[in-house]
Amino acid sequence: MEKKVAIITGANSGVGLSVADRLLMAHEGIRVCLACRNKGRAENARARLLQRHSSANISIIIVDTSSVSLLSGLLRKSGKNIVRELEDYLGGTQTTQIIWTSSQNANADDFSYTNIQHRNGKEPYASSKYATDVVSVALNDRLNKKGVYSVSTCPGLVMSNMTFGILPSWFWFLVMPFLFFMRLFVTSLTCNAYNAAEALIWISKQRCESLNSRIKYCSHCSIFGKPYVAEEKLNISEKDADNLYNQMEGLYQGFKSKYRNGTSRTAKDSVSNGLQNGMQNGFH
């Protein structure tokens, strides 16, 4: 029986780090790969996890999607987009889950299929998270036959570096008792990273075939602090999913045509080979 393997993006802090920690607790022998932008932070996260799980199999892949040269390293001359670039290593004899972290702020009204990059809108976050939900549906519809399943999740309202950047940490400390009380009315107030990871950990324990790609699985929390999973229906049609997928494919091909000639061999080796070798060795 093959052991489970997880690649976690943004795993050096917050919800991503908590997901890694909880996966190591929930699945004995699981192999975890931390896909991070910053090598130093990734190594620090790995060290912290090993303090709690001394015998864990934890590796690191550096993936900085803000770097054109590194991102272009994934674009090969085969005409595949990034997901299809790894398609040979997904599914097959062992099913693969692609789990997206969306948000309860995802809003169809803020998203436009004629403006998918949100150049003219006022709510880029709500738009991008709705796009995440749509892409998840599109990928699930396309890759199910290969044993690849895609679902969307929401971590709830959690205290993170983002929220601390809006208001100082002392403010959140003062209002925390009020937030706990508010769970009577707003169960999505997960508050901490452990609770926020609940939906992702729950999904990891389910049969892929039993999950519904048109359901967003959301981390919620009772007033007594017990996390649980709630469901939110996604009203996304197959036509809309195809529309966005095809537009993103067009953008990808344009990006590929513009930057592939300037891609350095070092970037291509470090990113493309790193990810593909990881997948080949069982990272799902």
Side-chain angles (χ1 to χ4, degrees):
M1 184 181 200
E2 293 188 58
K3 293 182 178 180
K4 291 189 175 183
V5 186
I7 294 179
I8 307 170
T9 59
N12 65 318
S13 64
V15 178
L17 181 59
S18 186
V19 168
D21 182 35
R22 292 192 60 182
L23 282 174
L24 289 167
M25 290 189 291
H27 301 282
E28 183 178 358
I30 191 172
R31 298 169 61 191
V32 172
C33 176
L34 311 179
C36 306
R37 292 176 55 181
N38 184 283
K39 183 178 180 180
R41 292 179 180 177
E43 291 176 342
N44 180 59
R46 182 175 183 273
R48 291 172 62 186
L49 289 170
L50 287 174
Q51 286 181 343
R52 290 172 53 81
H53 313 277
S54 59
S55 62
N57 187 337
I58 305 171
S59 58
I60 294 172
I61 292 179
I62 303 304
V63 182
D64 185 356
T65 56
S66 68
S67 168
V68 170
S69 63
L70 285 176
L71 184 58
S72 297
L74 289 171
L75 315 185
R76 303 172 70 182
K77 296 181 180 180
S78 61
K80 299 178 179 180
N81 66 26
I82 291 175
V83 172
R84 284 186 281 117
E85 189 72 21
L86 300 174
E87 190 171 339
D88 292 341
Y89 305 99
L90 300 174
T93 58
Q94 183 176 359
T95 57
T96 300
Q97 287 181 320
I98 302 174
I99 306 175
W100 301 81
T101 301
S102 181
S103 170
Q104 66 180 34
N105 290 327
N107 190 348
D109 293 336
D110 292 316
F111 179 80
S112 171
Y113 288 94
T114 61
N115 178 32
I116 65 171
Q117 297 187 77
H118 206 72
R119 291 178 175 177
N120 305 317
K122 297 181 179 180
E123 298 293 339
Y125 183 79
S127 174
S128 66
K129 288 303 184 181
Y130 181 77
T132 295
D133 293 339
V134 180
V135 168
S136 176
V137 169
L139 288 178
N140 189 76
D141 290 348
R142 281 167 170 73
L143 300 180
N144 265 183
K145 61 184 179 183
K146 291 183 79 278
V148 180
Y149 298 83
S150 178
V151 292
S152 182
T153 68
C154 173
L157 299 172
V158 56
M159 300 299 104
S160 65
N161 291 336
M162 183 180 295
T163 54
F164 291 146
I166 298 172
L167 291 169
S169 57
W170 61 262
F171 171 82
W172 297 111
F173 178 79
L174 289 177
V175 302
M176 193 63 70
F178 174 74
L179 294 179
F180 291 154
F181 172 76
M182 284 297 296
R183 282 177 176 164
L184 281 171
F185 314 100
V186 185
T187 55
S188 60
L189 277 167
T190 51
C191 294
N192 61 59
Y194 181 94
N195 292 338
E198 182 69 17
L200 289 95
I201 302 304
W202 179 84
I203 286 174
S204 75
K205 299 177 181 179
Q206 311 306 310
R207 290 179 59 254
C208 298
E209 300 85 348
S210 69
L211 300 173
N212 187 341
S213 67
R214 286 170 171 76
I215 292 291
K216 183 186 295 184
Y217 297 93
C218 306
S219 298
H220 282 210
C221 201
S222 73
I223 191 172
F224 301 108
K226 182 177 176 58
Y228 64 94
V229 177
E231 297 182 357
E232 175 187 328
K233 185 177 180 181
L234 297 174
N235 295 311
I236 298 171
S237 68
E238 183 177 347
K239 179 180 178 180
D240 286 341
D242 285 341
N243 184 356
L244 180 58
Y245 183 92
N246 291 333
Q247 287 196 61
M248 292 184 69
E249 174 70 9
L251 288 173
Y252 171 84
Q253 294 299 336
F255 179 91
K256 179 178 179 179
S257 176
K258 182 175 181 180
Y259 289 106
R260 65 181 174 185
N261 294 331
T263 302
S264 68
R265 174 56 58 183
T266 299
K268 187 172 294 186
D269 288 344
S270 64
V271 180
S272 184
N273 292 344
L275 281 173
Q276 291 185 10
N277 289 340
M279 297 302 297
Q280 194 170 28
N281 291 329
F283 289 125
H284 290 171

